[in-house]
Amino acid sequence: MKRSLVPITVAFLAVMLIGLLVYGVVGKKTNDSLDQAVSAGKKPAAPGVAVRLPNLAGGGTTGLADLGGKVVVLNFWASWCEPCKAEAPVLEKVQKRLENTHSGTVFGVTYKDAPDASQAFVKQQKSTWPNVRDDRLKLAPKYGTSQLPETFVIDRTGKVVALSRGQIDQQFMDAALERAGVPAA
């Protein structure tokens, strides 16, 4: 009787191990709920509004709640990200447009980046928008951010109206800002 239990036990353990592996693979799915909602024409509420992050320049914290009532171009970036460097001039142009129309701001969030490297990037790119550090990944996961750059356009009511998981260009930003109600430049 003991000999017949060994194959059954081994088979049971093998099935359990396969089940755990499948669960692990399926459980690592990316969060694309924002993507689905926006692509369906919905305007989901921006997540993480209560999250406050340290200012990259030092001196306190800032969060999306501080920017309420304004259009926010939320951009996750890092100094080591080549597409982030390539899109920085587009974001600076957007920042100028938002400032000139008193509509809002670009709001940069560093992702897995050293503060010194981030500060050097801002200086090199001559970026004038506010930036915060998400060192402990308190905000990025709420947006499903896993690759850089990623940009989310939030309207004055706190709704996500456009997003890009990848490098943005002027054409994308013009259409996104129009959806957010920003006057043309």
Side-chain angles (χ1 to χ4, degrees), residues 1 33 53 66 76 126 148 160:
M1 183 110 162
S33 57
L53 297 170
D66 299 320
F76 291 93
K126 298 180 176 86
L148 297 179
V160 178

Side-chain angles (χ1 to χ4, degrees), residues 100-119:
N100 291 340
T101 59
H102 306 287
S103 301
T105 189
V106 173
F107 187 56
V109 181
T110 65
Y111 180 84
K112 296 183 181 181
D113 203 18
D116 291 346
S118 297
Q119 290 170 342

Side-chain angles (χ1 to χ4, degrees), residues 6-52:
V6 172
I8 292 171
T9 303
V10 168
F12 175 76
L13 290 174
V15 168
M16 294 301 290
L17 180 61
I18 291 170
L20 282 173
L21 289 171
V22 169
Y23 175 77
V25 169
V26 171
K28 293 196 179 206
K29 208 168 109 175
T30 58
N31 178 356
D32 64 352
S33 57
L34 282 175
D35 304 64
Q36 292 174 359
V38 171
S39 67
K42 297 178 184 171
K43 295 180 179 181
V49 174
V51 174
R52 298 189 62 77

Side-chain angles (χ1 to χ4, degrees):
M1 183 110 162
K2 285 187 178 182
R3 289 185 120 203
S4 63
L5 287 179
V6 172
I8 292 171
T9 303
V10 168
F12 175 76
L13 290 174
V15 168
M16 294 301 290
L17 180 61
I18 291 170
L20 282 173
L21 289 171
V22 169
Y23 175 77
V25 169
V26 171
K28 293 196 179 206
K29 208 168 109 175
T30 58
N31 178 356
D32 64 352
S33 57
L34 282 175
D35 304 64
Q36 292 174 359
V38 171
S39 67
K42 297 178 184 171
K43 295 180 179 181
V49 174
V51 174
R52 298 189 62 77
L53 297 170
N55 295 324
L56 180 60
T61 60
T62 305
L64 289 170
D66 299 320
L67 306 172
K70 295 181 179 184
V71 172
V72 177
V73 177
L74 178 65
N75 179 258
F76 291 93
W77 63 275
S79 62
W80 45 262
C81 164
E82 289 302 320
C84 299
K85 293 175 187 173
E87 74 177 11
V90 174
L91 289 169
E92 185 59 35
K93 188 174 179 182
V94 167
Q95 176 66 9
K96 296 297 182 210
R97 177 176 170 186
L98 292 170
E99 284 178 350
N100 291 340
T101 59
H102 306 287
S103 301
T105 189
V106 173
F107 187 56
V109 181
T110 65
Y111 180 84
K112 296 183 181 181
D113 203 18
D116 291 346
S118 297
Q119 290 170 342
F121 177 92
V122 167
K123 186 176 181 181
Q124 180 183 26
Q125 297 299 324
K126 298 180 176 86
S127 304
T128 61
W129 61 85
N131 287 279
V132 293
R133 296 187 339 260
D134 196 5
D135 300 340
R136 296 202 165 107
L137 298 181
K138 291 181 179 179
L139 186 61
K142 295 181 185 314
Y143 285 83
T145 296
S146 61
Q147 299 177 12
L148 297 179
E150 293 191 5
T151 303
F152 302 83
V153 179
I154 304 167
D155 70 11
R156 289 177 179 85
T157 65
K159 307 289 186 195
V160 178
V161 297
L163 64 88
S164 173
R165 297 198 188 270
Q167 182 178 332
I168 52 117
D169 60 20
Q170 194 62 53
Q171 182 179 0
F172 167 81
M173 286 308 311
D174 288 343
L177 292 175
E178 183 178 327
R179 271 181 256 146
V182 175

